[in-house]
Amino acid sequence: MASAVGAVGAAGHASTESGVWSWITTVDHKRIGILYGVSAILFFLLGGSEAFLIRMQLASADADLISSGVFSQLFTMHALTMVFLAIMPLGAAFFNFLIPLQIGARDVAFPRLNALSYWLFLFGAILLNSSFVFGGAPDAGWFAYANLTSSTYSPGDSMDYFTLGLLVLGISSLAAALNFVVTILNMRAPGMTLMRMPVFTWMALVVSFLLVFALPILTVGLIELLFWRFFDMPFFSAEFGGDPLLWQHIFWLFGHPEVYILILPAMGIVSEILPTFSRKPLFGYTAVVFAGVSIAFLGFAVWAHHMFTVGLGPVAIAAFSASTMLIAVPTGIKVFNWMGTIWGGSLDLRTPMLFAIGFIALFTIGGLSGVMHAAASSDAQQQDTYFIVAHIHYVLFGGAIVAVIGGIYYWFPKFSGHMYNETVGKINFWLMFLGMNLTFFPMHFLGLDGMPRRIYTYDANMGWDLWNGVATMGSLVLGLSFLIFIYNMVTSWLNGEPAEADPWDGRTLEWSIASPPPEYNFEEIPIVYDRDAWWAEKRGKVQHGVPVGGGSGEEEHSIHMPQPSYWPIVVSIGLIIASYGLVYNSGNFIVATIGLLVGIFGVYAWSFEPVNDPE
Amino acid sequence: MAQATADHGEHEATTTGLNHRKMLMWAFLGSDCMFFGSLIATYLVYKGRSLEGPLPIDVFSIPTTSVSTFVLLMSSMSMVLAYSALRRNRMKTFRVWLASTAIMGMTFLAFQVFEFRVFANHEVVVDCHAPIGELSIVELSVRNDKTVGCEATGHDEVEKQVGLTPKTNLFGSTFFTLTGFHGAHVTLGVIWLLTMFFLSFKKGMVTPERNLDLDLAALYWHFVDIVWIIIFTVVYLFGVFPGFA
Ligand SMILES: [Cu+2]
């Protein structure tokens, strides 16, 4: 063991260095995870500011803070930012940081591909948001229904930014998902069978498969949208016999699996936090895992519940209504198992635990209103009202974001090496819980009262002032809770007490190594004898690690870490140049071709870069 | 360097026993299935919904496309032979079969370009004495054309160029998008194979020990081939055979 440490020290790999260049060329999954996390939080603040402007405009009747055009851009970009630039990359941040640690691996299977995913995400996000500066952001809603998106009704470049931005983000997510599939299936420590994997890793695997199979559907839709706009190919043109509804089918065939892509990481996080702070193993591990898997399968069979009011006919509506209600079963199984985990445990109500319990409550409220929309006749009343807005924010804010914030608190000692401030953390939770309910619960009333979504103002005698005012007050509280969160993170990272390796008496392997983990993660690859592997070891099950470097006959054990590489960022830059070239093609594709050539050159250089040069 | 890569890349212990890169390729192809699946679904949803011609029955030439399909199928066989030759370290044989695979791929692409051009320049000839009920949409439109049609000219036979482009109708859009992306996949495969062909002249780059590189290319190539068989059946054959068309 000592020799292993020595060898690592002597090798002196570049990625232990600091400085901007080391971050640009990093292929270390922990650093990429942190890059993902920090970028996603920044985009979350951006999306939050957009929401705040929306709330300010709607605070009272007949307000004229924002014009209707800008309002449309704001709600479109708010949704796109939160879905694609905040929640998904926050999930990716956790996947990156945790998966190799939880399965006892040194890194992901393809470290450079991982770096490519991050840079494509960042540049894709910048591409999408740069539309604000270059003539206006997309304003056709995040689902971009045809005909709103045709070159007649969206004549500028805004929808091209939407299409290309999402295509680039799609490539990024697909590359990441493929990488995680291989990492989880193929790089588990000896003894870690699938049914011994931490539930978070399980959910990461399910999400990765969802991405692998759902993203290409969106890609095809975006390509058709692009060709429709650029080359007048009549994909969604009714005057050619085309069907604008085809876009809706394609979009929601992706879009519904997408909501599980957003929520399953959160469910994984909660399934890690609850057992640790209840001092009990997860209740019904197998049921939780299979519920997650069946949610993923069912997720592909329910898309038309977003289209109950477009006239699908009674048979289709009944079928999709039933399949949608069916999803409540595995979801309910999860909720009951979480409660079973808490039941009879000796609870330690620290900040992450508060967030996890808050998640269960809020997500269940969102789930209940979800079942209400599953009943098609009831949905016909709720379609396009604020009731839907309330539902989606209970599942995506009360669900995904609350769990993710809890997860950040839970693993903060691990990735930063410092303890967060517990008191500030608790204030953070209670303010967020209060603000969340204050903002989004009144939207149920507004929706039932008939207030439509996506209107930039409303008449005073509609009687919607009161609850809109309350919601806006709530968003102020939410904003405050976020500032407190950021304050806690920044001050704790800079001045927090040093964290022990295992401050929570954790169950999974990431707690068996130092905080923050060394670059090579594990000195010895652990051997896994049980679920909750680290608890098992701490409670006396014998565990001998596999010496690093593989063969036992070797004299010196050295850990080969992947070397830094700048080709991932070069390829990403090429693709972004190509995307801008396509947006501003004006009939020729010279810039797009140049960008593509840069990308291809990068791929070739990447392929021939020596990866494991033993120096 | 090459040796180090090979050691790491091909003999690394993995949980499932399947090499990382191979699993990546399988997962990617799974994703690609959904990609082509969505394109084919779009094609099928719009089948028979074009408001004007030309339609599949007007433009497809099954004999021609059968030839190109056969060539692509044979390229899969030569791909297998190339792989087998590499594993037995018969470098010359390997290069011959690899080059033939690439050439057959290029032949397929040439057929596709030719076919696209023929479609774009499609000419319709109508016998003005034929019963109207037997004419297709596009023939009817030529027959009744205000300038070159039967009534306008008074001829016994009229003709007009009615090209099929991606803009012409729903069939054109969905057909060219689907087959175009398949062609792009073949093009990528050809570039990959040619790269390996030229690398094989560099010492140590393409060796029996590193056969995984070729294995991955082969996996991709066979996949693209299988996709074409589906396209040929669903688009071409079902497009012209009575009862399906
Ligand atoms: Cu849905």
Side-chain angles (χ1 to χ4, degrees):
Chain A
M1 199 171 98
S3 68
V5 180
V8 171
H13 280 294
S15 47
T16 49
E17 293 166 7
S18 54
V20 177
W21 184 246
S22 78
W23 283 88
I24 287 178
T25 60
T26 188
V27 293
D28 178 353
H29 71 99
K30 298 179 288 297
R31 284 188 168 206
I32 292 174
I34 290 170
L35 284 173
Y36 258 116
V38 171
S39 320
I41 298 246
L42 291 176
F43 283 114
F44 185 84
L45 289 175
L46 180 65
S49 319
E50 286 157 3
F52 187 67
L53 286 174
I54 292 173
R55 279 315 326 157
M56 292 310 283
Q57 164 70 13
L58 291 176
S60 56
D62 298 317
D64 57 357
L65 182 69
I66 297 168
S67 73
S68 64
V70 174
F71 189 84
S72 300
Q73 295 179 25
L74 285 177
F75 69 66
T76 303
M77 286 305 288
H78 165 67
L80 288 172
T81 305
M82 289 309 194
V83 169
F84 292 101
L85 314 183
I87 304 182
M88 276 175 84
L90 277 169
F94 279 98
F95 290 177
N96 263 296
F97 194 85
L98 287 175
I99 288 173
L101 298 182
Q102 288 201 326
I103 62 174
R106 292 248 151 71
D107 207 312
V108 294
F110 302 95
R112 288 180 300 170
L113 190 65
N114 205 16
L116 176 74
S117 299
Y118 171 71
W119 293 112
L120 277 180
F121 152 66
L122 183 67
F123 292 156
I126 292 171
L127 171 75
L128 187 58
N129 274 292
S130 67
S131 58
F132 272 120
V133 189
F134 301 127
D139 54 1
W142 81 286
F143 40 65
Y145 280 175
N147 286 332
L148 281 178
T149 51
S150 68
S151 29
T152 315
Y153 297 115
S154 293
D157 296 321
S158 64
M159 287 320 296
D160 302 329
Y161 277 103
F162 169 87
T163 316
L164 289 159
L166 257 53
L167 279 172
V168 171
L169 291 168
I171 299 172
S172 152
S173 294
L174 180 65
L178 293 170
N179 206 343
F180 292 135
V181 165
V182 178
T183 304
I184 296 173
L185 290 180
N186 240 0
M187 294 183 75
R188 281 168 282 144
M192 181 166 284
T193 57
L194 285 176
M195 292 316 280
R196 284 180 187 165
M197 284 198 317
V199 175
F200 176 79
T201 301
W202 250 114
M203 292 306 115
L205 181 64
V206 173
V207 167
S208 302
F209 271 113
L210 275 175
L211 283 165
V212 164
F213 292 117
L215 277 171
I217 306 175
L218 177 68
T219 305
V220 166
L222 291 170
I223 286 168
E224 291 173 355
L225 176 59
L226 196 77
F227 285 1
W228 187 40
R229 289 177 55 82
F230 279 1
F231 308 123
D232 296 322
M233 290 161 68
F235 277 109
F236 309 113
S237 302
E239 64 268 33
F240 281 83
D243 192 348
L245 277 188
L246 177 68
W247 167 265
Q248 294 194 21
H249 282 291
I250 292 176
F251 185 84
W252 290 117
L253 246 170
F254 154 79
H256 195 86
E258 169 72 16
V259 306
Y260 297 120
I261 290 163
L262 299 174
I263 198 67
L264 285 176
M267 291 178 164
I269 289 170
V270 167
S271 305
E272 295 299 323
I273 297 175
L274 290 172
T276 303
F277 293 112
S278 304
R279 328 291 328 136
K280 277 174 66 187
L282 185 71
F283 183 81
Y285 170 96
T286 320
V288 172
V289 167
F290 279 105
V293 175
S294 54
I295 284 177
F297 274 103
L298 286 172
F300 279 98
V302 298
W303 77 91
H305 62 212
H306 297 270
M307 304 166 61
F308 279 153
T309 56
V310 303
L312 296 173
V315 176
I317 285 181
F320 281 105
S321 215
S323 63
T324 304
M325 288 180 188
L326 208 56
I327 289 203
V329 176
T331 315
I333 289 175
K334 286 198 167 216
V335 172
F336 281 117
N337 280 300
W338 291 325
M339 298 200 309
T341 306
I342 304 172
W343 186 267
S346 55
L347 304 192
D348 185 359
L349 290 177
R350 286 171 185 274
T351 309
M353 185 63 167
L354 290 177
F355 276 95
I357 295 173
F359 163 89
I360 300 178
L362 299 171
F363 181 77
T364 304
I365 296 177
L368 286 175
S369 58
V371 179
M372 292 169 75
H373 317 143
S377 47
S378 146
D379 182 70
Q381 302 298 315
Q382 295 151 4
Q383 171 91 20
D384 277 333
T385 70
Y386 260 83
F387 197 83
I388 304 286
V389 181
H391 161 73
I392 194 162
H393 285 93
Y394 265 87
V395 287
L396 287 188
F397 194 105
I401 291 292
V402 165
V404 161
I405 303 277
I408 292 175
Y409 274 113
Y410 182 60
W411 280 290
F412 186 82
K414 186 51 67 185
F415 65 77
S416 72
H418 297 280
M419 297 305 285
Y420 61 84
N421 185 316
E422 193 67 57
T423 317
V424 180
K426 282 181 175 155
I427 296 172
N428 179 184
F429 169 75
W430 286 111
L431 272 181
M432 186 174 284
F433 191 78
L434 178 74
M436 144 90 217
N437 284 297
L438 217 50
T439 310
F440 300 115
F441 206 84
M443 292 184 184
H444 290 110
F445 304 142
L446 287 169
L448 291 177
D449 201 19
M451 179 172 168
R453 305 168 71 175
R454 308 190 191 94
I455 49 164
Y456 80 106
T457 191
Y458 50 91
D459 201 79
N461 54 30
M462 296 306 289
W464 296 333
D465 296 63
L466 172 66
W467 291 122
N468 270 305
V470 173
T472 302
M473 290 297 293
S475 70
L476 281 168
V477 179
L478 264 189
L480 180 65
S481 76
F482 262 98
L483 293 180
I484 291 172
F485 168 70
I486 303 278
Y487 165 81
N488 200 356
M489 291 296 110
V490 173
T491 54
S492 305
W493 204 323
L494 295 177
N495 307 317
E497 281 175 46
E500 303 161 33
D502 187 10
W504 317 130
D505 185 17
R507 300 145 33 247
T508 40
L509 290 174
E510 72 268 27
W511 303 108
S512 69
I513 52 175
S515 303
E519 194 207 343
Y520 47 85
N521 296 351
F522 297 90
E523 282 165 13
E524 297 182 2
I525 298 297
I527 296 182
V528 177
Y529 292 95
D530 209 342
R531 246 172 239 166
D532 296 334
W534 181 229
W535 264 7
E537 189 183 340
K538 283 187 286 192
R539 280 153 185 71
K541 292 213 179 178
V542 191
Q543 190 171 26
H544 293 294
V546 181
V548 291
S552 51
E554 285 181 53
E555 288 179 6
E556 187 190 2
H557 299 137
S558 63
I559 303 174
H560 287 305
M561 294 306 293
Q563 287 180 314
S565 170
Y566 46 79
W567 294 115
I569 197 172
V570 171
V571 175
S572 312
I573 290 172
L575 283 182
I576 289 308
I577 295 174
S579 302
Y580 275 108
L582 279 174
V583 173
Y584 295 106
N585 68 64
S586 64
N588 69 58
F589 294 93
I590 298 171
V591 180
T593 312
I594 292 172
L596 201 62
L597 289 176
V598 172
I600 291 171
F601 172 73
V603 169
Y604 264 87
W606 171 328
S607 317
F608 296 111
E609 189 178 38
V611 271
N612 289 296
D613 203 325
E615 296 167 273
Chain B
M1 164 226 132
Q3 198 51 47
T5 314
D7 279 350
H8 201 71
E10 281 164 49
H11 307 295
E12 199 174 27
T14 66
T15 313
T16 59
L18 191 65
N19 175 280
H20 288 342
R21 286 162 67 204
K22 198 146 186 190
M23 189 185 276
L24 182 82
M25 183 50 91
W26 276 111
F28 169 74
L29 294 181
S31 187
D32 228 19
C33 277
M34 294 301 285
F35 180 80
F36 279 111
S38 306
L39 287 173
I40 293 173
T42 307
Y43 174 85
L44 287 177
V45 164
Y46 280 161
K47 191 167 184 290
R49 289 179 59 163
S50 297
L51 298 184
E52 49 196 286
L55 297 177
I57 194 107
D58 302 312
V59 291
F60 283 163
S61 156
I62 296 297
T64 316
T65 316
S66 298
V67 173
S68 69
T69 304
F70 181 75
V71 169
L72 195 63
L73 276 178
M74 287 304 107
S75 78
S76 254
M77 191 183 75
S78 67
M79 186 80 236
V80 172
L81 292 171
Y83 181 65
S84 145
L86 178 67
R87 291 202 64 155
R88 287 177 290 125
N89 203 13
R90 309 228 167 113
M91 290 309 282
K92 272 208 183 112
T93 325
F94 158 69
R95 284 190 197 111
V96 168
W97 286 121
L98 190 68
S100 356
T101 312
I103 289 168
M104 281 191 264
M106 287 187 278
T107 312
F108 174 84
L109 289 170
F111 263 95
Q112 199 169 34
V113 171
F114 166 77
E115 187 185 70
F116 284 7
R117 290 186 55 146
V118 170
F119 290 0
N121 299 316
H122 181 66
E123 285 216 347
V124 176
V125 184
V126 183
D127 175 3
C128 289
H129 303 298
I132 287 182
E134 285 175 14
L135 298 180
S136 70
I137 303 179
V138 65
E139 285 168 336
L140 207 60
S141 75
V142 173
R143 187 188 187 283
N144 299 335
D145 193 283
K146 283 204 180 76
T147 50
V148 299
C150 294
E151 270 80 48
T153 57
H155 295 166
D156 291 339
E157 196 179 77
V158 291
E159 59 173 59
K160 188 187 175 193
Q161 185 172 328
V162 188
L164 178 73
T165 67
K167 288 189 206 182
T168 310
N169 54 19
L170 290 175
F171 166 58
S173 305
T174 52
F175 170 79
F176 283 109
T177 309
L178 171 58
T179 50
F181 271 103
H182 180 267
H185 274 70
V186 176
T187 311
L188 192 70
V190 167
I191 295 172
W192 192 350
L193 296 182
L194 288 179
T195 306
M196 294 210 63
F197 178 76
F198 291 115
L199 277 180
S200 76
F201 292 99
K202 229 176 140 188
K203 204 172 169 335
M205 292 303 276
V206 181
T207 63
E209 294 75 38
R210 298 184 64 187
N211 66 63
L212 180 74
D213 291 340
L214 187 68
D215 199 5
L216 295 176
L219 201 55
Y220 174 83
W221 191 260
H222 296 316
F223 170 80
V224 172
D225 202 352
I226 290 168
V227 170
W228 181 255
I229 294 173
I230 296 169
I231 294 177
F232 182 65
T233 313
V234 171
V235 176
Y236 285 83
L237 295 182
F238 288 7
V240 296
F241 281 2
F244 289 110

